[in-house]
């Protein structure tokens, strides 16, 4: 069945302001009357055609017998794949042209164009076009010039998209390398933390102090390796949360959220004490005797841990996953890893780290800066310590 059988309605061209505008834009036709004879002949050769929804306006592989300018409606562009199916490669709307290359060169259609809703178009048949060129050769130069400009614009756009794809591919390669490196570093880190809990290590008289110092040393080494990788890849640190986006708003939100968590922890401990289900070493609600230099150092340790966990790992996973729920999966994966790295102490601490990681993962995904999560980590971590929660793990 031919294409013509798909036409709902066909009529001679009649002038409207919108149709004249489409022709002026697409063919450099003069906008004011009276028109030269060649353009009057051009208008006389045009037809107005309508296509029903789902109808094929042109079909891939068929000989091009007409050019179309869409004046209303929407159409989709399809191409056949190697499996015999077809895939959508574009959409066409008001003002778009169908089939200009086939009209000029006689080549077969490169794709199928189907109406999504009823499409009205201005059509110029190939035979009428050839008759026009024979009668008015000057039209040939005008058509070729306009088509060259359109193809040049399309080529420039494709060139830009190709550059963007190359940049995106390079970024994915670098992110993949970063992901592998961080996973390996975290695995080594977990093994070493496990060794700190072994009988051999705990037999040392200064085991606790040495474990703290070595843990901080490992974190610094990990940070330096990650920074070296980022520097080698030339990926800017601001993309990994090292920025001051909405500083005031971020700080206020982080303090507010952290305060709510701390109030919750105080209420939880108070309730436990009142019920006499006391797992804590004493009955004091907030014990300042726990305060030492390690709490002060947490102002550096907390942002450092968040840079590795959130800025690098969570951010890298989110950018590597191709899914609408990439942020969710990145927070989940990071939280599981963050919780697992604390299991060397106890299952309780691992679960606590897992749950707080959800909070900070959400906060980082929302704020896109490490300022908020680093501050929140410092506040909640220290307050939980002063409340004695770390003593029960």
């Amino acid at each position: 069945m031919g294409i013509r059988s798909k036409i709902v309605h066909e009529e001679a061209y009649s002038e409207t302001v919108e149709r004249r505008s489409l022709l002026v834009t697409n063919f450099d036709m003069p906008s004011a009357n009276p028109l030269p004879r060649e353009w009057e002949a051009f208008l006389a050769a045009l037809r107005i055609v309508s296509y029903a929804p789902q109808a094929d306006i042109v079909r891939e592989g068929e000989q091009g017998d007409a050019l179309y300018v869409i004046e209303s409606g929407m159409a989709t562009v399809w191409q056949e794949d190697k499996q015999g199916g077809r895939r959508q490669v574009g959409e066409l709307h008001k003002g778009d042209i169908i089939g200009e290359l086939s009209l000029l060169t006689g080549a077969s259609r490169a794709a199928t164009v189907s109406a999504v809703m009823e499409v009205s178009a201005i059509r110029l048949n190939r035979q009428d076009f050839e008759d026009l060129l024979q009668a008015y050769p000057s039209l040939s130069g005008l058509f070729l010039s306009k088509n060259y400009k359109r193809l040049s614009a399309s080529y420039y756009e494709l060139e830009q998209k190709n550059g963007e794809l190359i940049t995106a591919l390079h970024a994915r390669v670098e992110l993949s390398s970063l992901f592998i490196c961080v996973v390996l570093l975290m695995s080594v880190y977990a093994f070493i933390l496990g060794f700190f809990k072994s009988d051999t290590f705990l037999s040392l008289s200064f085991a606790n102090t040495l474990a703290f110092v070595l843990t901080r040393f490992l974190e610094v080494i990990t940070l330096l390796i990650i920074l070296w990788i980022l520097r080698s890849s030339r990926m800017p640190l601001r993309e990994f949360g090292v920025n001051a986006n909405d500083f005031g708003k971020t700080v206020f939100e982080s303090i507010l959220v952290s305060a709510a968590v701390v109030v919750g922890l105080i209420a939880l401990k108070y309730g436990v004490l009142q019920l006499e289900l006391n797992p804590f070493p004493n009955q004091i609600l907030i014990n300042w005797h726990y305060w030492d230099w390690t709490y002060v150092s947490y102002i550096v340790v907390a942002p450092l841990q968040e840079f590795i966990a959130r800025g690098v790992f969570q951010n890298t996973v989110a950018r590597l996953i191709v899914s609408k729920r990439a942020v969710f999966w990145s927070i989940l994966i990071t939280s599981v890893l963050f919780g697992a790295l604390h299991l060397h102490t106890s299952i309780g601490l691992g679960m606590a780290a897992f749950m707080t990681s959800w909070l900070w993962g959400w906060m980082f995904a929302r704020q896109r800066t490490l300022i908020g999560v680093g501050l929140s980590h410092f506040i909640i971590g220290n307050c939980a310590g002063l409340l004695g929660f770390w003593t029960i793990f």
Side-chain angles (χ1 to χ4, degrees), residues 227-361:
L227 289 175
W228 177 76
I229 294 171
L230 291 176
R231 185 176 180 276
S232 300
S233 67
R234 297 182 180 178
M235 290 186 286
L237 287 175
R238 64 178 178 272
E239 293 185 9
F240 296 88
V242 184
N243 57 64
N245 291 344
D246 296 324
F247 181 84
K249 180 182 177 182
T250 296
V251 170
F252 175 77
E253 183 178 88
S254 300
I255 292 175
L256 192 65
V257 172
S258 301
V261 174
V262 171
V263 169
L265 292 175
I266 292 173
L268 176 61
K269 182 173 182 181
Y270 181 80
V272 169
L273 293 178
Q274 292 300 309
L275 293 172
E276 298 183 355
L277 302 172
N278 186 15
F280 301 95
N282 51 61
Q283 298 289 323
I284 303 173
L285 187 63
I286 298 177
N287 192 342
W288 288 98
H289 290 293
Y290 292 134
W291 183 268
D292 58 23
W293 66 276
T294 60
Y295 282 75
V296 178
S297 69
Y298 214 54
I299 193 66
V300 175
V301 173
L304 170 61
Q305 291 179 345
E306 288 306 313
F307 172 70
I308 297 171
R310 237 61 58 184
V312 176
F313 193 82
Q314 178 179 317
N315 189 38
T316 299
V317 173
R319 293 169 65 178
L320 286 175
I321 294 176
V322 182
S323 169
K324 292 181 180 179
R325 306 191 70 184
V327 172
F328 167 81
W329 288 113
S330 66
I331 295 174
L332 174 61
I333 294 170
T334 304
S335 298
V336 170
L337 177 64
F338 196 64
L341 288 175
H342 290 76
L343 289 176
H344 68 282
T345 299
S346 69
I347 186 65
L349 184 59
M351 290 303 298
F354 174 77
M355 289 186 289
T356 53
S357 185
W358 272 100
L359 171 66
W360 296 324

Side-chain angles (χ1 to χ4, degrees), residues 186-196 341:
M186 292 298 98
S187 300
V188 172
Y189 183 69
F191 275 109
I192 294 175
L193 291 180
F195 173 71
F196 290 164
L341 288 175

Side-chain angles (χ1 to χ4, degrees), residues 42-77:
F42 171 75
L43 293 182
L46 301 178
R47 306 287 292 176
I48 304 300
V49 292
S50 299
Y51 291 86
Q54 310 305 317
D56 290 341
I57 301 172
V58 300
R59 291 175 179 165
E60 184 176 357
E62 288 188 343
Q63 194 69 27
D65 63 348
L67 170 148
Y68 303 84
V69 181
I70 297 178
E71 65 167 342
S72 66
M74 185 180 82
T76 50
V77 184

